[in-house]
Amino acid sequence: MKKFGLTLLTAFVGGAMALGTYKVIENKYANNMSFEDKQKVYYATSNHLTPATSAIVSSAGAVDFTQAAAAVTPAVVYIRTTYSNQSDNDKQSQLQQMFGDMFGQRMRPSGPQMASGSGVIISPDGYIVTNNHVVEKADKIEIVTNDHRNYSAKVVGTDPSTDLALIKIDGHDLPIVKLGNSDAVKVGEWVLAVGNPFKLTSTVTAGIVSAKGRGIGIIGSEDRQDENPFGRTQYQSQQPKLNKAIESFIQTDAAINPGNSGGALVNTNGELIGINSAIASHTGSYEGYGFAIPINLAKKVLDDIEKYGAVKRGYVGISFAELDQDKAKELKVDRTYGLYVSSVLPGGGAEQAGLKEGDIITKVEGNTVYESSDLQERVGRLRPGDKINITALRGSDEKNFAITLKADAPTPKMAVSKSAEEMFNRIGASFVPLNAAQKAKFHVNGGVLVTQVREDGLFDNTEIPVGSVITEVNRQPISSVGALDKALSNPRNGVLVIGGLYPDGSRLRVALQVQ
């Protein structure tokens, strides 16, 4: 019925164009349509050519990229950002530091700091997708189009968890890049990267898809690169990645360099399949590996930002560990791939569906799960209330679970003192005592398990994820939630030094400034 309604709308808009009333229809329906549906109307009612439906092959038998490049280049923009002077204690965001000198071309003059990157126009009325790290905390954002028109842009919304941002310029009937289907992308197929490397605007490079579903641990990593950033692999992370980070990159060997960040990765039909976001490099320049956010994940994020101002994200309610030969041996399981469920959040969708600690997730929506990105990217496309079908191995039997995703609910109220309750609210986390099995698993005599981390809390900012175990605060042992209550009520000089274990058993030690 929805598809039929869209067909009628397209036909009606086509007729309206003949009467000169297209803008009335566009304004009436724009807010109720996804970016993908807007594009369908755009191609049905404008003089712009629809991208080719199949790759063009030259007489020599090689794929011809000319039509795809011609279709995409006009809609890839150059982004210039300006930042106020900042002290060492007020630095740019973590991703900007990691990408800045290498991927966003950040310079460090004595006056206001400048940076640059790329963006892709996805709606004829001026919506542009780029990376969060390109525009985050910018005081001024300028857009230069391929035909040298200049615009001032505003940020509609950002999503640090996927490193995506939606920005807007005042325009109409702008060229766009057609949204493709990243699920249909195959390893080995030709792709083009379009962006502005080294300020060389409207640059097109070609390569193939090298891999899919890459999780490289760059979003939310703690590698702040205060030393010379060119001395290490760009995406190397020194700490476990942000618990809510969603990484399932398309890997490509199309040449990507500083300034390509936020630009387009397209197939030979000229369809947008990814947003270029990172490179693997010891020097900061192209060494053969680039990474793009898949467009099927980006569609949901961008539609949410436009409609709600923020991303509505659902959660399965588990913490897990990726299985490989070493991890399987450590956990004493036979399976060497999949996701080992290390804890289940009380009251979460997974618990209500019957998933248990020790289960091994083997499939999501019928597709085999090899690593965390296979699950995270699928969940990242859904909203609270949506269902996701998961298959898990329990013992020797595989069981199917239909899990209803839950919103990131507020931390449950606890019977604690007022000062401790205020501290809990500021930290943004909830806890339960360890049971006997968990004590044995982590080889500890006591402690509390982190069962929930709010996106705006201190635990989130310092990357203490769900499934971590807190065993001490300011060197005081924590054996119960009551002991944690007392410790949180008495920070030393406004600082809480928290010790324990990450979900994978590695040591956790974090200092939180709470005053």
Side-chain angles (χ1 to χ4, degrees), residues 260-404:
N260 273 111
S261 191
L265 186 72
V266 300
N267 59 23
T268 53
N269 300 330
E271 298 168 333
L272 187 65
I273 60 170
I275 302 299
N276 295 322
S277 185
I279 56 176
S281 174
H282 290 81
T283 65
S285 297
Y286 173 71
E287 290 186 16
Y289 304 101
F291 302 91
I293 302 160
I295 199 62
N296 284 10
L297 173 61
K299 288 175 188 177
K300 185 265 182 186
V301 170
L302 299 171
D303 285 339
D304 275 7
I305 290 174
E306 187 203 12
K307 293 177 183 177
Y308 311 115
V311 180
K312 290 185 176 293
R313 187 160 284 131
Y315 296 92
V316 175
I318 59 171
S319 60
F320 54 81
E322 291 183 6
L323 286 177
D324 55 24
Q325 189 168 353
D326 292 336
K327 199 66 174 177
K329 183 178 180 180
E330 176 188 334
L331 295 171
K332 298 179 180 179
V333 297
D334 296 330
R335 192 86 169 196
T336 57
Y337 63 92
L339 305 177
Y340 179 87
V341 178
S342 52
S343 65
V344 179
L345 177 67
E351 184 191 55
Q352 292 178 358
L355 206 64
K356 295 182 179 180
E357 182 178 334
D359 288 345
I360 298 173
I361 297 174
T362 58
K363 295 179 182 179
V364 55
E365 298 295 351
N367 298 305
T368 302
V369 171
Y370 294 98
E371 50 195 347
S372 60
S373 59
D374 295 327
L375 173 64
Q376 290 175 315
E377 199 248 339
R378 287 283 178 175
V379 173
R381 302 183 196 179
L382 303 175
R383 296 187 175 97
D386 290 342
K387 287 186 181 294
I388 188 166
N389 296 308
I390 285 177
T391 302
L393 187 67
R394 181 176 297 170
S396 59
D397 298 325
E398 277 196 328
K399 297 179 179 293
N400 296 316
F401 302 89
I403 298 174
T404 301

Side-chain angles (χ1 to χ4, degrees), residues 451-484:
T451 58
Q452 189 174 17
V453 177
R454 284 210 315 261
E455 201 161 326
D456 58 348
L458 291 178
F459 269 34
D460 183 56
N461 294 333
T462 50
E463 299 185 9
I464 300 178
V466 170
S468 298
V469 174
I470 307 302
T471 57
E472 64 175 53
V473 175
N474 291 340
R475 298 190 180 277
Q476 297 299 311
I478 301 300
S479 58
S480 66
V481 175
L484 182 63

Side-chain angles (χ1 to χ4, degrees), residues 22 40 107 140 173 194 272 435 452 481 493:
Y22 165 67
K40 292 176 182 178
M107 298 170 284
K140 185 179 180 181
D173 200 28
V194 185
L272 187 65
N435 58 35
Q452 189 174 17
V481 175
N493 300 318

Side-chain angles (χ1 to χ4, degrees), residues 77-83 114-118 134-135 138 140-144 149-151 153 199 201:
V77 300
Y78 178 57
I79 299 178
R80 290 193 299 235
T81 52
T82 305
Y83 300 81
M114 306 290 292
S116 63
S118 304
V134 170
V135 298
K140 185 179 180 181
I141 303 172
E142 297 177 273
I143 302 297
V144 182
R149 287 181 288 173
N150 288 64
Y151 296 87
K199 298 184 180 179
T201 58

Side-chain angles (χ1 to χ4, degrees), residues 58-76:
S58 70
S59 58
V63 175
D64 186 352
F65 302 127
T66 55
Q67 184 168 326
V72 173
T73 301
V76 177

Side-chain angles (χ1 to χ4, degrees), residues 79-361:
I79 299 178
R80 290 193 299 235
T81 52
T82 305
Y83 300 81
S84 300
N85 280 325
Q86 297 186 351
S87 67
D88 289 339
N89 294 325
D90 186 21
K91 295 181 180 180
Q92 293 297 330
S93 73
Q94 184 177 357
L95 275 173
Q96 288 171 331
Q97 289 177 25
M98 295 186 68
F99 288 115
D101 294 308
M102 296 178 279
F103 214 58
Q105 294 184 214
R106 182 175 305 287
M107 298 170 284
R108 302 184 186 277
S110 57
Q113 296 182 18
M114 306 290 292
S116 63
S118 304
V120 184
I121 304 174
I122 57 172
S123 179
D125 53 351
Y127 284 97
I128 297 169
V129 57
T130 185
N131 288 142
N132 175 59
H133 74 262
V134 170
V135 298
E136 186 179 20
K137 297 184 179 179
D139 297 312
K140 185 179 180 181
I141 303 172
E142 297 177 273
I143 302 297
V144 182
T145 61
N146 184 60
D147 57 359
H148 306 296
R149 287 181 288 173
N150 288 64
Y151 296 87
S152 177
K154 65 178 182 180
V155 175
V156 179
T158 63
D159 182 40
S161 294
T162 54
D163 192 27
L164 286 168
L166 183 66
I167 62 178
K168 178 77 165 60
I169 60 176
D170 290 330
H172 63 276
D173 200 28
L174 296 171
I176 65 173
V177 180
K178 184 179 181 181
L179 301 178
N181 177 11
S182 53
D183 286 349
V185 172
K186 296 181 179 179
V187 174
E189 75 170 90
W190 284 102
V191 289
L192 303 179
V194 185
N196 307 288
F198 302 118
K199 298 184 180 179
L200 300 172
T201 58
S202 304
T203 294
V204 180
T205 57
I208 63 169
V209 172
S210 306
K212 293 178 65 178
R214 287 292 197 213
I216 58 177
I218 194 168
I219 298 180
S221 63
E222 285 291 333
D223 184 0
R224 298 186 182 275
Q225 302 210 17
D226 292 328
E227 71 279 12
N228 180 2
F230 296 92
R232 64 174 65 172
T233 302
Q234 182 172 337
Y235 65 68
Q236 181 179 346
S237 172
Q238 303 301 313
Q239 295 287 344
K241 64 184 179 180
L242 185 67
N243 188 45
K244 293 184 176 62
I246 300 174
E247 293 188 355
S248 186
F249 293 117
I250 298 171
Q251 181 181 320
T252 177
D253 65 357
I256 296 174
N257 274 297
N260 273 111
S261 191
L265 186 72
V266 300
N267 59 23
T268 53
N269 300 330
E271 298 168 333
L272 187 65
I273 60 170
I275 302 299
N276 295 322
S277 185
I279 56 176
S281 174
H282 290 81
T283 65
S285 297
Y286 173 71
E287 290 186 16
Y289 304 101
F291 302 91
I293 302 160
I295 199 62
N296 284 10
L297 173 61
K299 288 175 188 177
K300 185 265 182 186
V301 170
L302 299 171
D303 285 339
D304 275 7
I305 290 174
E306 187 203 12
K307 293 177 183 177
Y308 311 115
V311 180
K312 290 185 176 293
R313 187 160 284 131
Y315 296 92
V316 175
I318 59 171
S319 60
F320 54 81
E322 291 183 6
L323 286 177
D324 55 24
Q325 189 168 353
D326 292 336
K327 199 66 174 177
K329 183 178 180 180
E330 176 188 334
L331 295 171
K332 298 179 180 179
V333 297
D334 296 330
R335 192 86 169 196
T336 57
Y337 63 92
L339 305 177
Y340 179 87
V341 178
S342 52
S343 65
V344 179
L345 177 67
E351 184 191 55
Q352 292 178 358
L355 206 64
K356 295 182 179 180
E357 182 178 334
D359 288 345
I360 298 173
I361 297 174

